[in-house]
Amino acid sequence: MTDAPGPVPDGPEAPAQRGRLGRVGALVVGALVVVALVAVAFALGRISTLGQADPTTVSAEAGFARDMQVHHLQGVDLALIIRDTSDDPDMERLAYDMATVQAQQAGQMYGWLEEWGLPQAGSEPQMTWMTRPALAGAEGEHADHDASTHTPGDPMPGLATFDQVETLRAAEGVEAERIFLTLMIRHHEGALEMSEALLARSTHPVVTSLAQAILDSQAAEIDLMTRLLDDRGGPVEI
């Protein structure tokens, strides 16, 4: 039988060990919070679609729900990286807010697809929904140049590459903050583009409501991140 771990010793290494335990505990609590938010969002997503006509698997609503989930979950990953790297309180708060909000919204979109009886993975390449014509009379900057802007299977706008994410993981201090802000501003701009495209192609009130919320909140966060980035010397080439 394996002996149960004893208490942290009170010798010279005790403060460091207690600090490590504290950080591990904080990460566990943070992970549990995100999981709980996704579970709540899943339930809200199911409830919020009651009474609406279910979109089809090749609809703009389904494509948006699938692609924006992927987009948001990378945003959560980027935010958690800088939250664990930065010691600046403003950066930590911003990263925590981004991670929790985008995790909640991703869970909501997962719930929509479940409620609509649609698979989480579509039968078409990503971004296909953005290449289809906008609705007649649609408003928004993407309503008039939909087919020529994207190609099915293209990377989602603003999505960071694997190498860019690994560069952020390896960075420290102010340089890590500059890389994060540079990548996340682009990431948010991509989310705005996807949300505008959805609004030009859908009248589903639940889906358009979330797309508008993403537009409003992430546009405000871009302004904040631009100021934070300017304070740190501006964007980096990455």
Side-chain angles (χ1 to χ4, degrees):
M1 181 180 296
T2 303
D3 292 337
V8 176
D10 292 328
E13 296 183 359
Q17 292 190 39
R18 282 194 289 267
R20 284 194 293 272
L21 289 173
R23 287 192 294 274
V24 170
L27 289 174
V28 170
V29 170
L32 290 174
V33 168
V34 171
V35 169
L37 284 169
V38 171
V40 170
F42 173 81
L44 289 174
R46 293 177 67 89
I47 294 170
S48 63
T49 59
L50 294 177
Q52 301 293 334
D54 291 343
T56 67
T57 194
V58 295
S59 64
E61 293 86 357
F64 175 79
R66 293 180 182 120
D67 288 351
M68 191 62 89
Q69 275 189 75
V70 174
H71 205 273
H72 268 23
L73 291 176
Q74 187 187 72
V76 172
D77 188 28
L78 295 175
L80 291 178
I81 291 171
I82 198 63
R83 179 178 177 269
D84 295 339
T85 302
S86 177
D87 58 2
D88 182 274
D90 290 336
M91 291 295 298
E92 291 176 350
R93 282 192 294 270
L94 175 63
Y96 179 79
D97 288 346
M98 286 181 177
T100 52
V101 169
Q102 293 195 46
Q104 184 271 334
Q105 291 175 342
Q108 187 174 350
M109 288 181 279
Y110 183 98
W112 290 346
L113 292 168
E114 289 291 301
E115 181 64 26
W116 298 337
L118 302 178
Q120 295 296 326
S123 59
E124 299 180 317
Q126 65 185 26
M127 306 300 296
T128 299
W129 65 277
M130 287 182 68
T131 69
R132 294 197 173 104
L135 297 175
E139 297 180 355
E141 62 178 285
H142 294 278
D144 296 328
H145 54 88
D146 50 297
S148 62
T149 305
H150 299 286
T151 301
D154 275 356
M156 295 172 212
L159 210 65
T161 66
F162 175 82
D163 288 344
Q164 289 171 335
V165 176
E166 291 306 301
T167 298
L168 174 61
R169 289 187 197 279
E172 298 179 349
V174 174
E175 186 66 10
E177 295 172 358
R178 291 178 66 201
I179 292 171
F180 167 76
L181 291 167
T182 299
L183 292 177
M184 191 58 89
I185 288 172
R186 294 177 193 166
H187 199 269
H188 274 27
E189 288 171 346
L192 299 189
E193 185 174 349
M194 293 168 70
S195 297
E196 285 277 10
L198 182 280
L199 291 172
R201 290 163 177 79
S202 176
T203 58
H204 194 293
V206 172
V207 183
T208 57
S209 177
L210 179 61
Q212 188 62 55
I214 292 170
L215 276 174
D216 295 341
S217 63
Q218 295 205 9
E221 287 177 347
I222 287 173
D223 290 341
L224 172 59
M225 288 190 291
T226 300
R227 292 195 298 271
L228 292 173
L229 187 54
D230 289 343
D231 291 342
R232 289 161 173 77
V236 297
E237 293 293 332
I238 183 172

